[in-house]
Coordinates of all heavy atoms in Angstrom, one line a residue:
M1 N 18.7 7.2 -19.1 CA 18.2 6.4 -18.0 C 16.6 6.4 -18.0 O 16.0 5.4 -17.7 CB 18.8 6.9 -16.7 CG 18.4 6.1 -15.5 SD 19.2 4.5 -15.7 CE 18.6 3.7 -14.3
L2 N 16.1 7.6 -18.3 CA 14.6 7.7 -18.3 C 14.0 6.8 -19.4 O 13.0 6.2 -19.2 CB 14.2 9.1 -18.5 CG 12.7 9.4 -18.5 CD1 12.1 9.0 -17.1 CD2 12.4 10.9 -18.7
R3 N 14.7 6.8 -20.5 CA 14.2 6.0 -21.7 C 14.2 4.5 -21.3 O 13.2 3.8 -21.5 CB 15.1 6.1 -22.9 CG 14.6 5.4 -24.1 CD 15.6 5.5 -25.3 NE 16.9 4.9 -25.0 CZ 17.2 3.7 -25.1 NH1 16.3 2.8 -25.5 NH2 18.4 3.2 -24.9
I4 N 15.2 4.0 -20.6 CA 15.2 2.6 -20.2 C 14.1 2.4 -19.1 O 13.5 1.3 -19.2 CB 16.6 2.3 -19.6 CG1 17.7 2.3 -20.7 CG2 16.6 0.9 -18.9 CD1 19.1 2.2 -20.2
F5 N 13.9 3.3 -18.2 CA 12.8 3.2 -17.3 C 11.5 3.1 -17.9 O 10.7 2.2 -17.6 CB 12.9 4.3 -16.3 CG 11.8 4.3 -15.3 CD1 11.8 3.4 -14.2 CD2 10.7 5.1 -15.4 CE1 10.8 3.3 -13.3 CE2 9.6 5.0 -14.5 CZ 9.7 4.1 -13.4
L6 N 11.2 4.0 -18.9 CA 9.9 4.0 -19.5 C 9.7 2.9 -20.5 O 8.5 2.5 -20.7 CB 9.7 5.4 -20.3 CG 9.6 6.6 -19.4 CD1 9.6 7.8 -20.2 CD2 8.4 6.5 -18.5
T7 N 10.7 2.4 -21.1 CA 10.5 1.3 -22.2 C 10.8 -0.1 -21.7 O 10.3 -1.0 -22.3 CB 11.4 1.6 -23.4 OG1 12.8 1.6 -23.0 CG2 11.0 2.9 -24.0
V8 N 11.5 -0.2 -20.6 CA 11.8 -1.6 -20.1 C 11.2 -1.9 -18.7 O 10.4 -2.8 -18.5 CB 13.3 -1.8 -20.1 CG1 13.7 -3.2 -19.5 CG2 13.9 -1.7 -21.5
I9 N 11.6 -1.1 -17.8 CA 11.3 -1.3 -16.4 C 9.8 -1.1 -16.1 O 9.1 -2.0 -15.6 CB 12.1 -0.5 -15.4 CG1 13.6 -0.9 -15.6 CG2 11.7 -0.7 -14.0 CD1 14.6 0.0 -14.9
L10 N 9.2 0.0 -16.5 CA 7.8 0.3 -16.3 C 6.9 -0.7 -16.9 O 5.9 -1.2 -16.2 CB 7.5 1.7 -16.7 CG 6.2 2.3 -16.2 CD1 6.3 2.5 -14.7 CD2 6.0 3.7 -16.8
P11 N 7.0 -1.1 -18.2 CA 6.1 -2.2 -18.7 C 6.2 -3.5 -18.0 O 5.3 -4.3 -18.0 CB 6.6 -2.3 -20.2 CG 7.2 -1.0 -20.5 CD 7.9 -0.6 -19.2
L12 N 7.3 -3.8 -17.3 CA 7.5 -5.0 -16.6 C 6.9 -4.9 -15.2 O 6.3 -5.9 -14.7 CB 8.9 -5.5 -16.5 CG 9.6 -5.9 -17.8 CD1 11.0 -6.2 -17.6 CD2 8.9 -7.1 -18.3
V13 N 7.0 -3.8 -14.6 CA 6.6 -3.6 -13.2 C 5.1 -3.3 -13.1 O 4.4 -3.8 -12.2 CB 7.4 -2.5 -12.5 CG1 6.8 -2.1 -11.2 CG2 8.8 -2.9 -12.4
L14 N 4.5 -2.5 -14.0 CA 3.1 -2.1 -13.9 C 2.1 -3.3 -13.9 O 1.2 -3.4 -13.0 CB 2.7 -1.2 -15.0 CG 3.0 0.3 -14.7 CD1 2.6 1.2 -15.9 CD2 2.3 0.8 -13.4
P15 N 2.2 -4.3 -14.8 CA 1.3 -5.4 -14.7 C 1.5 -6.2 -13.4 O 0.5 -6.7 -12.8 CB 1.7 -6.3 -15.9 CG 2.3 -5.4 -16.9 CD 3.1 -4.4 -16.0
T16 N 2.7 -6.4 -13.0 CA 2.9 -7.1 -11.7 C 2.3 -6.4 -10.5 O 1.7 -7.0 -9.7 CB 4.4 -7.3 -11.5 OG1 5.0 -8.0 -12.7 CG2 4.7 -8.2 -10.3
A17 N 2.5 -5.1 -10.5 CA 1.9 -4.3 -9.4 C 0.4 -4.3 -9.5 O -0.3 -4.4 -8.4 CB 2.4 -2.8 -9.5
G18 N -0.2 -4.2 -10.7 CA -1.6 -4.3 -10.8 C -2.2 -5.6 -10.4 O -3.2 -5.7 -9.7
Y19 N -1.5 -6.7 -10.7 CA -2.0 -8.0 -10.2 C -1.9 -8.2 -8.7 O -2.8 -8.7 -8.1 CB -1.2 -9.1 -10.9 CG -1.6 -10.5 -10.5 CD1 -2.8 -11.0 -10.9 CD2 -0.8 -11.3 -9.7 CE1 -3.2 -12.3 -10.5 CE2 -1.2 -12.5 -9.2 CZ -2.4 -13.0 -9.7 OH -2.8 -14.3 -9.2
A20 N -0.8 -7.7 -8.2 CA -0.6 -7.7 -6.7 C -1.7 -6.9 -6.0 O -2.3 -7.4 -5.0 CB 0.8 -7.2 -6.3
L21 N -2.0 -5.8 -6.5 CA -3.1 -5.0 -6.0 C -4.5 -5.7 -6.1 O -5.2 -5.7 -5.1 CB -3.2 -3.6 -6.7 CG -4.3 -2.6 -6.2 CD1 -4.0 -2.2 -4.7 CD2 -4.3 -1.4 -7.1
Y22 N -4.7 -6.3 -7.2 CA -5.9 -7.1 -7.4 C -6.0 -8.2 -6.4 O -7.1 -8.4 -5.8 CB -6.0 -7.6 -8.8 CG -7.0 -8.7 -9.0 CD1 -8.4 -8.3 -9.1 CD2 -6.6 -10.0 -9.2 CE1 -9.3 -9.3 -9.2 CE2 -7.6 -11.0 -9.3 CZ -8.9 -10.6 -9.3 OH -9.9 -11.6 -9.5
V23 N -5.0 -8.9 -6.2 CA -5.0 -10.1 -5.3 C -5.2 -9.6 -3.9 O -6.0 -10.2 -3.1 CB -3.7 -10.9 -5.4 CG1 -3.5 -11.8 -4.2 CG2 -3.6 -11.6 -6.7
L24 N -4.6 -8.5 -3.5 CA -4.8 -7.9 -2.1 C -6.3 -7.5 -1.9 O -6.9 -7.8 -0.9 CB -3.9 -6.7 -1.9 CG -2.5 -7.0 -1.7 CD1 -1.7 -5.7 -1.7 CD2 -2.2 -7.8 -0.4
V25 N -6.9 -6.9 -2.9 CA -8.3 -6.4 -2.8 C -9.2 -7.6 -2.7 O -10.1 -7.7 -1.8 CB -8.7 -5.5 -3.9 CG1 -10.2 -5.3 -4.0 CG2 -7.9 -4.2 -3.8
V26 N -9.1 -8.6 -3.6 CA -9.9 -9.8 -3.6 C -9.8 -10.6 -2.3 O -10.8 -11.0 -1.7 CB -9.6 -10.7 -4.8 CG1 -10.3 -12.0 -4.7 CG2 -10.1 -10.0 -6.1
E27 N -8.6 -10.8 -1.8 CA -8.4 -11.5 -0.6 C -9.0 -10.8 0.6 O -9.6 -11.4 1.5 CB -6.9 -11.8 -0.3 CG -6.4 -12.9 -1.3 CD -7.1 -14.2 -1.1 OE1 -7.4 -14.7 0.1 OE2 -7.5 -14.8 -2.1
R28 N -8.9 -9.5 0.7 CA -9.5 -8.7 1.7 C -11.0 -8.8 1.7 O -11.6 -9.1 2.8 CB -9.1 -7.2 1.7 CG -9.6 -6.4 2.8 CD -9.1 -5.0 2.8 NE -9.4 -4.3 1.5 CZ -10.5 -3.7 1.1 NH1 -11.5 -3.7 1.9 NH2 -10.6 -3.1 -0.1
R29 N -11.6 -8.7 0.6 CA -13.0 -8.9 0.5 C -13.5 -10.3 0.8 O -14.5 -10.4 1.5 CB -13.5 -8.5 -0.9 CG -13.4 -7.0 -1.2 CD -14.0 -6.7 -2.5 NE -13.9 -5.2 -2.7 CZ -14.2 -4.6 -3.9 NH1 -14.5 -5.4 -4.9 NH2 -14.1 -3.3 -4.0
R30 N -12.8 -11.3 0.4 CA -13.1 -12.6 0.7 C -13.0 -12.9 2.2 O -13.9 -13.5 2.8 CB -12.2 -13.6 0.0 CG -12.6 -15.1 0.1 CD -11.6 -16.0 -0.4 NE -10.3 -15.8 0.1 CZ -9.9 -16.2 1.3 NH1 -10.7 -16.8 2.1 NH2 -8.6 -16.0 1.7
R31 N -12.0 -12.4 2.8 CA -11.8 -12.5 4.3 C -12.9 -11.8 5.1 O -13.4 -12.4 6.0 CB -10.4 -12.0 4.7 CG -9.9 -12.4 6.0 CD -8.5 -12.0 6.3 NE -7.7 -11.8 5.1 CZ -7.2 -10.6 4.7 NH1 -7.4 -9.6 5.4 NH2 -6.4 -10.6 3.7
E32 N -13.2 -10.6 4.7 CA -14.3 -9.9 5.4 C -15.6 -10.7 5.3 O -16.4 -10.7 6.2 CB -14.5 -8.5 4.8 CG -13.3 -7.6 5.1 CD -13.4 -6.2 4.4 OE1 -14.3 -6.1 3.5 OE2 -12.6 -5.4 4.6
A33 N -15.9 -11.3 4.1 CA -17.1 -12.0 3.9 C -17.1 -13.3 4.8 O -18.1 -13.7 5.4 CB -17.3 -12.4 2.5
E34 N -16.0 -13.9 4.9 CA -15.9 -15.1 5.8 C -16.0 -14.8 7.2 O -16.7 -15.5 8.0 CB -14.5 -15.8 5.5 CG -14.5 -16.6 4.3 CD -13.1 -17.3 4.1 OE1 -12.2 -17.1 5.0 OE2 -12.9 -18.0 3.1
E35 N -15.5 -13.7 7.7 CA -15.6 -13.3 9.1 C -17.0 -12.9 9.4 O -17.5 -13.1 10.5 CB -14.7 -12.1 9.3 CG -13.2 -12.4 9.4 CD -12.3 -11.2 9.5 OE1 -12.8 -10.1 9.5 OE2 -11.1 -11.4 9.5
A36 N -17.8 -12.4 8.5 CA -19.2 -12.0 8.7 C -20.1 -13.2 8.5 O -21.3 -13.1 8.7 CB -19.6 -10.9 7.8
H37 N -19.5 -14.3 8.1 CA -20.3 -15.6 7.8 C -21.4 -15.3 6.8 O -22.5 -15.8 6.9 CB -20.9 -16.1 9.1 CG -19.9 -16.5 10.1 ND1 -19.0 -17.5 9.9 CD2 -19.6 -15.9 11.3 CE1 -18.2 -17.6 11.0 NE2 -18.5 -16.6 11.8
T38 N -21.1 -14.5 5.8 CA -22.0 -14.3 4.7 C -21.2 -14.6 3.4 O -20.0 -14.4 3.3 CB -22.5 -12.8 4.6 OG1 -21.4 -12.0 4.5 CG2 -23.3 -12.5 5.9
P39 N -21.9 -15.0 2.4 CA -21.2 -15.2 1.1 C -20.9 -13.9 0.5 O -21.6 -12.9 0.6 CB -22.3 -16.0 0.2 CG -23.6 -15.7 0.8 CD -23.3 -15.4 2.3
A40 N -19.7 -13.8 -0.1 CA -19.3 -12.6 -0.8 C -20.1 -12.4 -2.0 O -20.5 -13.3 -2.7 CB -17.8 -12.7 -1.2
P41 N -20.5 -11.1 -2.3 CA -21.2 -10.9 -3.5 C -20.4 -11.2 -4.8 O -19.2 -11.2 -4.7 CB -21.6 -9.4 -3.5 CG -20.7 -8.8 -2.4 CD -20.3 -9.9 -1.5
W42 N -21.1 -11.5 -5.9 CA -20.3 -12.0 -7.1 C -19.4 -10.9 -7.6 O -18.3 -11.3 -8.1 CB -21.3 -12.4 -8.2 CG -22.0 -11.2 -8.7 CD1 -23.2 -10.7 -8.3 CD2 -21.6 -10.4 -9.8 NE1 -23.6 -9.6 -9.1 CE2 -22.6 -9.3 -10.0 CE3 -20.5 -10.3 -10.7 CZ2 -22.5 -8.4 -11.0 CZ3 -20.4 -9.4 -11.6 CH2 -21.4 -8.4 -11.8
W43 N -19.7 -9.7 -7.4 CA -18.8 -8.6 -7.9 C -17.6 -8.3 -7.0 O -16.7 -7.7 -7.4 CB -19.6 -7.3 -8.1 CG -20.4 -6.9 -6.9 CD1 -21.7 -7.2 -6.6 CD2 -19.9 -6.1 -5.8 NE1 -22.1 -6.7 -5.4 CE2 -21.0 -6.0 -4.9 CE3 -18.7 -5.6 -5.5 CZ2 -20.9 -5.3 -3.7 CZ3 -18.6 -4.9 -4.3 CH2 -19.7 -4.8 -3.4
A44 N -17.7 -8.8 -5.8 CA -16.6 -8.5 -4.8 C -15.4 -9.3 -5.2 O -14.3 -8.8 -4.9 CB -17.1 -8.9 -3.4
T45 N -15.5 -10.4 -5.7 CA -14.3 -11.2 -6.1 C -14.2 -11.4 -7.6 O -13.2 -12.0 -8.0 CB -14.4 -12.6 -5.4 OG1 -15.6 -13.3 -5.8 CG2 -14.3 -12.5 -3.9
A46 N -15.1 -10.9 -8.4 CA -15.0 -11.1 -9.8 C -14.0 -10.1 -10.4 O -14.0 -8.9 -10.0 CB -16.4 -10.9 -10.5
P47 N -13.2 -10.5 -11.3 CA -12.2 -9.6 -11.9 C -12.7 -8.7 -13.0 O -12.1 -7.8 -13.4 CB -11.1 -10.5 -12.4 CG -11.8 -11.8 -12.8 CD -12.9 -11.9 -11.7
W48 N -13.9 -9.0 -13.5 CA -14.4 -8.3 -14.7 C -14.6 -6.8 -14.5 O -14.2 -6.1 -15.4 CB -15.6 -9.0 -15.3 CG -15.3 -10.4 -15.7 CD1 -15.8 -11.6 -15.1 CD2 -14.5 -10.8 -16.7 NE1 -15.2 -12.6 -15.7 CE2 -14.4 -12.2 -16.7 CE3 -13.7 -10.1 -17.7 CZ2 -13.7 -12.9 -17.6 CZ3 -12.9 -10.9 -18.6 CH2 -12.9 -12.2 -18.5
P49 N -15.2 -6.4 -13.5 CA -15.3 -4.9 -13.4 C -14.0 -4.2 -13.3 O -13.8 -3.1 -14.0 CB -16.1 -4.7 -12.1 CG -16.8 -6.0 -11.9 CD -15.9 -7.1 -12.4
W50 N -13.0 -4.8 -12.6 CA -11.7 -4.2 -12.6 C -11.0 -4.2 -13.9 O -10.3 -3.2 -14.3 CB -10.8 -4.9 -11.5 CG -11.3 -4.6 -10.1 CD1 -12.0 -5.4 -9.4 CD2 -11.0 -3.4 -9.4 NE1 -12.3 -4.8 -8.1 CE2 -11.6 -3.6 -8.1 CE3 -10.3 -2.3 -9.6 CZ2 -11.6 -2.7 -7.1 CZ3 -10.2 -1.3 -8.6 CH2 -10.8 -1.5 -7.4
L51 N -11.2 -5.3 -14.6 CA -10.5 -5.4 -15.9 C -11.1 -4.5 -16.9 O -10.4 -3.9 -17.7 CB -10.6 -6.9 -16.4 CG -9.8 -7.9 -15.7 CD1 -10.1 -9.3 -16.2 CD2 -8.3 -7.6 -15.8
V52 N -12.4 -4.3 -16.9 CA -13.1 -3.4 -17.8 C -12.7 -1.9 -17.5 O -12.3 -1.2 -18.4 CB -14.6 -3.5 -17.7 CG1 -15.3 -2.4 -18.5 CG2 -15.1 -4.9 -18.3
F53 N -12.7 -1.6 -16.2 CA -12.2 -0.3 -15.9 C -10.8 0.0 -16.3 O -10.5 1.1 -16.8 CB -12.4 -0.1 -14.4 CG -11.8 1.3 -13.9 CD1 -12.5 2.4 -14.1 CD2 -10.6 1.3 -13.2 CE1 -12.0 3.7 -13.7 CE2 -10.1 2.5 -12.8 CZ -10.8 3.7 -13.0
A54 N -9.9 -1.0 -16.0 CA -8.5 -0.8 -16.4 C -8.3 -0.7 -17.9 O -7.5 0.1 -18.4 CB -7.7 -2.0 -15.9
G55 N -9.1 -1.5 -18.7 CA -9.0 -1.4 -20.2 C -9.5 0.0 -20.7 O -8.9 0.6 -21.6
V56 N -10.6 0.5 -20.1 CA -11.1 1.8 -20.6 C -10.1 2.9 -20.2 O -9.9 3.8 -21.0 CB -12.5 2.0 -20.0 CG1 -13.0 3.5 -20.1 CG2 -13.5 1.1 -20.6
A57 N -9.6 2.8 -19.0 CA -8.6 3.8 -18.6 C -7.3 3.8 -19.5 O -6.8 4.8 -19.9 CB -8.2 3.6 -17.1
A58 N -6.8 2.6 -19.8 CA -5.7 2.5 -20.7 C -6.0 3.0 -22.1 O -5.2 3.7 -22.7 CB -5.2 1.0 -20.7
M59 N -7.2 2.7 -22.6 CA -7.6 3.2 -23.9 C -7.6 4.7 -23.9 O -7.2 5.4 -24.8 CB -8.9 2.6 -24.3 CG -9.4 3.1 -25.6 SD -11.1 2.7 -26.0 CE -12.0 3.5 -24.8
A60 N -8.2 5.3 -22.8 CA -8.3 6.8 -22.7 C -6.9 7.4 -22.6 O -6.7 8.5 -23.3 CB -9.1 7.2 -21.5
V61 N -6.0 6.9 -21.9 CA -4.7 7.4 -21.8 C -4.0 7.3 -23.2 O -3.3 8.3 -23.6 CB -3.9 6.7 -20.7 CG1 -2.4 7.0 -20.8 CG2 -4.4 7.1 -19.3
T62 N -4.1 6.2 -23.8 CA -3.5 6.0 -25.1 C -4.0 7.0 -26.2 O -3.3 7.6 -26.9 CB -3.7 4.6 -25.6 OG1 -3.1 3.7 -24.6 CG2 -3.0 4.3 -26.9
L63 N -5.4 7.0 -26.3 CA -6.0 7.9 -27.2 C -5.6 9.4 -27.0 O -5.4 10.2 -27.9 CB -7.5 7.8 -27.3 CG -8.0 6.4 -27.9 CD1 -9.5 6.3 -27.8 CD2 -7.5 6.3 -29.3
G64 N -5.6 9.8 -25.7 CA -5.3 11.1 -25.3 C -3.8 11.5 -25.7 O -3.6 12.6 -26.2
S65 N -2.9 10.6 -25.4 CA -1.5 10.8 -25.7 C -1.3 10.9 -27.2 O -0.5 11.7 -27.6 CB -0.6 9.8 -25.0 OG -0.8 8.5 -25.6
V66 N -1.9 10.0 -27.9 CA -1.8 10.1 -29.4 C -2.3 11.4 -30.0 O -1.7 12.0 -30.8 CB -2.4 8.8 -30.1 CG1 -2.5 9.0 -31.6 CG2 -1.6 7.6 -29.7
A67 N -3.5 11.8 -29.5 CA -4.1 13.0 -30.0 C -3.3 14.2 -29.6 O -3.2 15.2 -30.4 CB -5.5 13.1 -29.4
L68 N -2.6 14.2 -28.5 CA -1.9 15.4 -28.1 C -0.4 15.5 -28.6 O 0.2 16.5 -28.6 CB -1.8 15.5 -26.6 CG -3.2 15.8 -25.9 CD1 -3.1 15.7 -24.4 CD2 -3.8 17.1 -26.3
T69 N 0.1 14.3 -29.0 CA 1.5 14.3 -29.4 C 1.8 13.9 -30.9 O 2.9 13.8 -31.3 CB 2.3 13.3 -28.5 OG1 1.7 12.0 -28.8 CG2 2.2 13.6 -27.1
S70 N 0.8 13.8 -31.7 CA 1.0 13.4 -33.1 C 0.2 14.3 -34.0 O -0.7 15.0 -33.6 CB 0.7 11.9 -33.3 OG -0.7 11.7 -33.1
G71 N 0.5 14.1 -35.3 CA -0.3 14.9 -36.3 C 0.4 16.1 -36.7 O 1.5 16.5 -36.3
V72 N -0.2 16.9 -37.6 CA 0.3 18.1 -38.1 C -0.6 19.3 -37.5 O -1.6 19.0 -37.0 CB 0.3 18.2 -39.6 CG1 1.3 17.1 -40.2 CG2 -1.0 18.0 -40.2
A73 N -0.1 20.5 -37.7 CA -0.8 21.6 -37.2 C -2.1 21.8 -38.0 O -2.2 21.4 -39.1 CB 0.0 22.9 -37.4
P74 N -3.1 22.3 -37.3 CA -4.4 22.5 -38.0 C -4.3 23.4 -39.2 O -3.4 24.3 -39.2 CB -5.3 23.1 -36.9 CG -4.7 22.8 -35.6 CD -3.2 22.6 -35.9
H75 N -5.1 23.2 -40.2 CA -5.1 24.1 -41.4 C -3.9 24.0 -42.2 O -3.6 24.9 -43.0 CB -5.4 25.5 -41.0 CG -6.7 25.7 -40.2 ND1 -7.9 25.4 -40.7 CD2 -6.9 26.1 -38.9 CE1 -8.8 25.6 -39.7 NE2 -8.2 26.0 -38.6
T76 N -3.1 22.9 -42.0 CA -1.9 22.7 -42.9 C -2.4 22.2 -44.2 O -3.2 21.2 -44.3 CB -1.0 21.7 -42.2 OG1 -0.6 22.2 -41.0 CG2 0.2 21.4 -43.1
P77 N -2.0 22.8 -45.3 CA -2.5 22.3 -46.6 C -2.0 20.9 -47.0 O -0.8 20.6 -46.6 CB -2.0 23.3 -47.6 CG -1.1 24.2 -46.9 CD -1.2 24.0 -45.4
Y78 N -2.8 20.1 -47.7 CA -2.4 18.8 -48.0 C -2.1 18.8 -49.5 O -2.9 19.3 -50.3 CB -3.6 17.8 -47.7 CG -3.3 16.4 -48.2 CD1 -2.5 15.6 -47.5 CD2 -3.9 15.9 -49.4 CE1 -2.2 14.3 -47.9 CE2 -3.6 14.6 -49.8 CZ -2.8 13.8 -49.1 OH -2.5 12.5 -49.5
T79 N -1.0 18.2 -49.9 CA -0.7 18.0 -51.3 C -0.9 16.6 -51.7 O -0.3 15.7 -51.1 CB 0.8 18.4 -51.5 OG1 1.1 19.7 -51.1 CG2 1.2 18.3 -53.0
P80 N -1.8 16.3 -52.6 CA -2.1 14.9 -53.0 C -0.9 14.3 -53.8 O 0.0 15.0 -54.3 CB -3.3 15.0 -53.9 CG -3.3 16.4 -54.4 CD -2.6 17.3 -53.4
A81 N -0.9 13.0 -53.9 CA 0.1 12.3 -54.7 C 0.0 12.7 -56.1 O -1.0 13.0 -56.7 CB 0.0 10.8 -54.6
H82 N 1.2 12.9 -56.8 CA 1.2 13.3 -58.2 C 2.4 12.8 -58.9 O 3.3 12.2 -58.2 CB 1.2 14.9 -58.2 CG 2.3 15.5 -57.5 ND1 2.3 15.7 -56.2 CD2 3.5 16.0 -58.0 CE1 3.5 16.3 -55.8 NE2 4.2 16.5 -56.9
V83 N 2.5 12.9 -60.2 CA 3.6 12.4 -61.0 C 4.4 13.6 -61.4 O 3.9 14.6 -62.0 CB 3.1 11.7 -62.2 CG1 4.2 11.2 -63.1 CG2 2.2 10.5 -61.8
E84 N 5.8 13.5 -61.2 CA 6.7 14.5 -61.6 C 7.8 13.8 -62.3 O 8.5 12.9 -61.8 CB 7.3 15.3 -60.4 CG 6.6 16.5 -59.9 CD 7.3 17.2 -58.8 OE1 8.6 17.0 -58.6 OE2 6.6 17.9 -58.0
D85 N 8.1 14.2 -63.5 CA 9.1 13.7 -64.4 C 9.1 12.1 -64.4 O 10.1 11.4 -64.3 CB 10.5 14.1 -63.8 CG 10.7 15.6 -63.9 OD1 10.2 16.2 -64.8 OD2 11.4 16.1 -63.0
G86 N 7.9 11.6 -64.5 CA 7.7 10.2 -64.6 C 7.8 9.4 -63.3 O 7.7 8.2 -63.3
R87 N 8.0 10.1 -62.2 CA 8.0 9.4 -60.9 C 6.8 9.8 -60.1 O 6.4 11.0 -60.1 CB 9.3 9.9 -60.1 CG 10.6 9.4 -60.8 CD 11.8 9.7 -60.0 NE 11.5 10.4 -58.7 CZ 12.3 11.2 -58.1 NH1 13.5 11.5 -58.7 NH2 12.0 11.8 -57.0
V88 N 6.3 8.9 -59.3 CA 5.2 9.2 -58.4 C 5.7 9.8 -57.1 O 6.6 9.2 -56.4 CB 4.4 7.9 -58.1 CG1 3.3 8.2 -57.1 CG2 3.8 7.3 -59.4
I89 N 5.2 11.0 -56.8 CA 5.6 11.7 -55.6 C 4.4 11.5 -54.6 O 3.3 11.8 -54.9 CB 5.8 13.2 -55.8 CG1 6.9 13.4 -56.9 CG2 6.3 13.9 -54.5 CD1 8.2 12.8 -56.6
G90 N 4.7 11.0 -53.4 CA 3.7 10.7 -52.4 C 3.1 12.0 -51.9 O 3.7 13.1 -51.9
G91 N 1.8 11.9 -51.5 CA 1.1 13.0 -50.9 C 1.5 13.2 -49.4 O 2.1 12.4 -48.8
G92 N 1.0 14.3 -48.9 CA 1.3 14.6 -47.5 C 1.1 16.1 -47.2 O 0.8 16.9 -48.1
P93 N 1.3 16.5 -46.0 CA 1.1 17.9 -45.6 C 2.2 18.7 -46.3 O 3.4 18.3 -46.4 CB 1.2 17.9 -44.1 CG 1.9 16.6 -43.7 CD 1.6 15.7 -44.8
S94 N 1.9 19.9 -46.8 CA 2.8 20.8 -47.4 C 3.6 21.5 -46.3 O 3.2 21.7 -45.2 CB 2.1 21.9 -48.2 OG 1.4 21.2 -49.2
G95 N 4.8 21.9 -46.7 CA 5.7 22.6 -45.8 C 6.5 21.7 -44.9 O 7.2 22.2 -44.0
N96 N 6.5 20.4 -45.0 CA 7.3 19.6 -44.1 C 8.4 19.0 -44.9 O 8.5 18.6 -45.9 CB 6.5 18.4 -43.5 CG 5.6 19.0 -42.4 OD1 5.7 20.1 -42.0 ND2 4.6 18.1 -42.0

């Protein structure tokens, strides 16, 4: 059940929730500017700062999770590709 949630439901719900949150924030700022009879600043309704922040945050989470969950142990010896009995044997970490 957790696998279905993480691979199907969460990727569908997160973008929708993010967009709904964005619309709520932009509309609130626009309404406050209209009530004060002042033009809203360009950054108050522009999506670019939010999109850049969301992209950097997503990149940081992705890079962090890849760095922490993949690869081999440090100082693992590497065996280069070589030929044995006329067949090419691929290289890789020794001991796996």
Side-chain angles (χ1 to χ4, degrees):
M1 186 67 185
L2 182 62
R3 182 183 64 84
I4 293 172
F5 176 77
L6 290 176
T7 60
V8 176
I9 296 171
L10 196 62
L12 291 174
V13 170
L14 273 181
T16 305
Y19 179 71
L21 180 66
Y22 165 73
V23 168
L24 288 173
V25 168
V26 167
E27 286 300 313
R28 181 176 52 87
R29 288 183 179 170
R30 185 189 55 77
R31 195 173 334 115
E32 288 172 356
E34 283 180 359
E35 289 173 358
H37 301 292
T38 59
W42 69 270
W43 52 266
T45 57
W48 297 111
W50 289 99
L51 291 174
V52 169
F53 175 75
V56 169
M59 180 188 65
V61 167
T62 301
L63 290 176
S65 65
V66 167
L68 294 174
T69 61
S70 64
V72 296
H75 306 295
T76 301
Y78 176 78
T79 304
H82 57 280
V83 177
E84 269 184 26
D85 298 326
R87 293 186 1 211
V88 176
I89 306 298
S94 298
N96 287 348

